[in-house]
Amino acid sequence: MSVQERKQRERADRERLIVATARELAEQQGWDAVTTRRLAERIEYSQPVLYSHFRGKREIIGAVALEGATEMAAAVRAAATAADGPRERVTALARAYLDFAARNPAVYDALFQLDGGLAYAQEDTPEPLKDAFAALLESLGEVAGDGVHPGLFTEVFWASLHGLATLTRARRLLPEDAAQRVELLVDRLAVV
């Protein structure tokens, strides 16, 4: 391995460490606790080293969001693939999405609540975000119904899931009704 390759590998390792540490700190204490100073202390590098990877907290949030989008897409696909039939796939997808949001609140915030400097629903949307939407579209497109654009249906279904995730986390909904909400959503929106 050349010196240049070793330096590139070390740089990539440092970047992964910064993102993982930011994510861990945010999950434990919230995004307000994530500062470049704190991150530098935790990863045992100077702040200038941290700034050589990310211009600031906003870019770190964006990196966590991209990592989270990849994980969410994988979770949704795995759940949908394991289910038989369109209705079961959509139900599994909804549960996987809501489970992901509940298990990873800081990542979910990075994806959908905080400014990570990422473009959504545009030409320059990063691939992990496009793929996360594609993971939803793969199962939801088949239940959109006649004359309904699959992408538009996916946006509406996703917005419903996002609302459920956000309201549940804020304790605005009774937790014991979670399964019934998913069933109702699937029954009323999906054409199966």
Side-chain angles (χ1 to χ4, degrees), residues 1-189:
M1 173 182 299
S2 73
V3 172
Q4 173 125 4
E5 289 171 329
R6 182 182 53 78
K7 285 184 178 187
Q8 287 174 338
R9 188 188 75 228
E10 289 171 354
R11 180 172 176 75
D13 289 344
R14 260 193 323 272
E15 193 165 302
R16 280 190 294 277
L17 177 62
I18 293 166
V19 172
T21 304
R23 182 176 174 167
E24 178 184 316
L25 186 57
E27 291 293 1
Q28 291 171 351
Q29 299 176 29
W31 278 104
D32 287 342
V34 179
T35 64
T36 53
R37 184 172 151 241
R38 249 179 153 178
L39 283 174
E41 288 171 4
R42 282 208 175 190
I43 65 171
E44 298 177 346
Y45 284 99
S46 67
Q47 282 182 294
V49 169
L50 194 128
Y51 282 116
S52 75
H53 290 274
F54 299 98
R55 285 184 289 209
K57 183 176 176 177
R58 181 179 186 219
E59 283 189 5
I60 294 168
I61 290 169
V64 170
L66 294 176
E67 186 177 274
T70 299
E71 292 171 11
M72 187 176 71
V76 165
R77 281 191 176 106
T81 301
D84 292 326
R87 184 185 201 300
E88 292 77 14
R89 275 191 293 280
V90 173
T91 301
L93 172 148
R95 287 184 180 142
Y97 181 97
L98 295 171
D99 288 346
F100 179 86
R103 281 191 330 273
N104 305 284
V107 172
Y108 194 81
D109 284 349
L111 270 165
F112 301 119
Q113 304 290 351
L114 302 174
D115 179 10
L118 303 173
Y120 286 78
Q122 296 176 22
E123 285 282 323
D124 59 342
T125 298
E127 276 308 310
L129 298 179
K130 289 179 181 179
D131 188 54
F133 185 78
L136 298 173
L137 181 61
E138 288 163 11
S139 291
L140 294 172
E142 70 179 320
V143 297
D146 292 337
V148 178
H149 187 278
L152 185 60
F153 177 79
T154 300
E155 290 173 347
V156 171
F157 200 94
W158 170 33
S160 299
L161 290 174
H162 175 69
L164 289 175
T166 303
L167 291 170
T168 299
R169 185 165 153 211
R171 295 188 170 100
R172 301 294 196 267
L173 301 173
L174 295 172
E176 61 266 18
D177 294 334
Q180 288 177 295
R181 283 187 201 95
V182 169
E183 294 301 318
L184 183 61
L185 182 62
V186 172
D187 287 343
R188 298 298 178 186
L189 286 184

